[in-house]
Each structure stands twice: as C-alpha cells, then as structure tokens.
Amino acid sequence: MEQYKPGLHLLATFTAPETALQDIEACRALFDRLISANQLVKVGETYHSFPGSGFTATVCLTESHISIHTWPEYGHATFDVFLSNYKMDNEPKVRAIYNAVIGAFTAVEVNRHEIRR
Amino acid sequence: MEQYKPGLHLLATFTAPETALQDIEACRALFDRLISANQLVKVGETYHSFPGSGFTATVCLTESHISIHTWPEYGHATFDVFLSNYKMDNEPKVRAIYNAVIGAFTAVEVNRHEIRR
C-alpha cells in the first residue's frame, strides 16, 4: 500500500474592510470561481449571513474543505483552505486559492499557519 | 467597541480503525449529539461518502465549524473543531468536543495543533 501523503492546510486570520466582510455573495462567487479554476470538486456548501453583521461559510470538497467566518464589527475574519493530496499534489492550488482570497478581500494577515496533515 | 476575543481551533490528525473511518452515519450521530449537548447552533452541513472508502464532512455553526475527512485505506483522518468566543468563552466546549471525537473513534493522535484566532 502506498503511504498517505499529507496535504497542506493554510489558516489565515486577517483584517479587511467592513464592506468586504459583509458581502457574502461576492465571497460565494469568489470561492466558486476558485473551485472551478482549480478543478476541485464541491460536494456541498453552507453560506449563512448574520443580519446586520458578517457571515459564516463552509465548502466541502472531495479534496477537503474551505471555510470563512467574518466579524465586520471587528474588521476581522478567519479563513481556511485544506486540500489533501490523494490523487495529486494540491499544494500549489492551496497557495493559489489562499493568495486569491487574501487579494480579493484586500486583507492584511494577522497571522498565518501552515500545517501538513 | 469591545476587542475581538480569539477562539480556539483544535486540529487533529489521527489514526483509527478502518470500520470507524467508514461509518459516516455514526459520525453524523456523534456530531449531532455533541452539537446539541454543547448548545451550539448548526446552520448547515455536508456529509459525503466515497464508495468503498471513507467520507468527508463539514458542519457550519454560528460559532464557526467542525470538519472531518477520513481515509480508511490509510487508517488516517483529519478532524477540526473551531468555536469563536463571540458571546461566551467556548474553549471548554472545543476541548469537550475534541476529546469526545477522539474517544468515539478510539483514535490515536498523530499530531494536534491548537490555534487561537
């Protein structure tokens, strides 16, 4: 049996403009575009808005998941992208998605963790 | 304005018996029980089985998320629980859920990360 090949999980805590942290539809469109561009397979998703505040979302992929939770009242968000390497090395895709999200939110990273798991 | 209070995100990579890593319905029942026992609010979920193999699941909570991805062919899984502290200190709940999942899977941790974010 082949050995399990750990995938890369990137976790950001970032600050961003309040308007971006409230715009659930822009986030959904961004995630869908990135999932499609990176040929990932979405098997389910939840996007949930908090009235007058931020939103929370998880996207379940055959390759693992993407999540974001925003607190516009603090200018704060947490964002994760984790892709396993079951069929191929997905590390470049993790980094591409991460960078695209940071860019789209004009985010400033408070911290970033990189975990291979 | 009050300061944002970082929440605890626990991430496990663990090994467990193949049968547990295939049993998506037992996992769903476990997560639902833990969400209810800890008075968390689920706003959406995805549970997806891979035929003849493992499963992948994300549960979106108003408090953030729970996720699990299993590879029974490697005896391997990755599990996350992350609860924000928006209304109260949820750290004891994160630890309670984490320990309950490790126990239910009779899991052996390969590694564990604790991130406050």
Side-chain angles (χ1 to χ4, degrees):
Chain A
M1 187 175 83
E2 271 190 65
Q3 194 96 33
Y4 175 82
K5 301 180 207 79
L8 178 62
H9 187 161
L10 284 185
L11 302 95
T13 304
F14 66 72
T15 58
E18 194 174 341
T19 48
L21 298 176
Q22 291 169 328
D23 196 343
I24 191 170
E25 290 310 325
C27 182
R28 186 199 298 261
L30 172 68
F31 283 179
D32 280 348
R33 204 160 55 237
L34 292 170
I35 288 164
S36 170
N38 286 284
Q39 299 172 286
L40 303 175
V41 179
K42 181 167 67 178
V43 293
E45 64 190 351
T46 302
Y47 287 86
H48 177 84
S49 273
F50 299 100
S53 180
F55 60 91
T56 186
T58 56
V59 182
C60 194
L61 308 167
T62 60
E63 298 85 358
S64 289
H65 71 268
I66 296 172
S67 68
I68 189 165
H69 313 295
T70 75
W71 291 268
E73 57 273 44
Y74 299 113
H76 184 103
T78 59
F79 163 67
D80 289 37
V81 51
F82 172 33
L83 303 179
S84 65
N85 290 335
Y86 188 65
K87 290 187 179 155
M88 59 179 289
D89 176 10
N90 281 316
E91 186 165 323
K93 295 184 179 186
V94 173
R95 296 194 186 281
I97 292 168
Y98 185 93
N99 291 335
V101 170
I102 294 293
F105 276 86
T106 61
V108 176
E109 289 176 299
V110 177
N111 59 56
R112 175 205 300 216
H113 289 86
E114 304 200 7
I115 299 177
R116 284 187 176 70
R117 56 194 308 227
Chain B
M1 188 174 84
E2 271 190 65
Q3 193 97 35
Y4 176 82
K5 302 181 206 79
L8 178 62
H9 188 161
L10 284 185
L11 303 94
T13 303
F14 65 74
T15 59
E18 193 173 343
T19 47
L21 298 175
Q22 291 169 329
D23 196 343
I24 191 170
E25 290 310 325
C27 182
R28 186 199 299 260
L30 172 67
F31 283 180
D32 280 346
R33 203 159 57 237
L34 292 170
I35 288 165
S36 172
N38 287 284
Q39 299 172 286
L40 303 175
V41 179
K42 181 166 68 177
V43 292
E45 64 190 352
T46 302
Y47 287 86
H48 176 83
S49 274
F50 299 101
S53 181
F55 60 91
T56 186
T58 56
V59 182
C60 194
L61 307 167
T62 61
E63 297 85 359
S64 289
H65 71 267
I66 297 172
S67 68
I68 190 165
H69 314 293
T70 76
W71 291 268
E73 57 274 43
Y74 299 113
H76 184 102
T78 59
F79 162 67
D80 290 36
V81 51
F82 172 33
L83 302 179
S84 64
N85 290 337
Y86 187 65
K87 290 189 180 155
M88 59 179 288
D89 176 10
N90 281 315
E91 185 164 325
K93 294 184 179 185
V94 173
R95 295 196 185 280
I97 292 168
Y98 185 94
N99 292 335
V101 170
I102 294 293
F105 277 86
T106 61
V108 176
E109 290 177 298
V110 176
N111 59 56
R112 175 206 301 216
H113 290 86
E114 303 199 6
I115 299 177
R116 282 186 177 73
R117 59 196 303 230

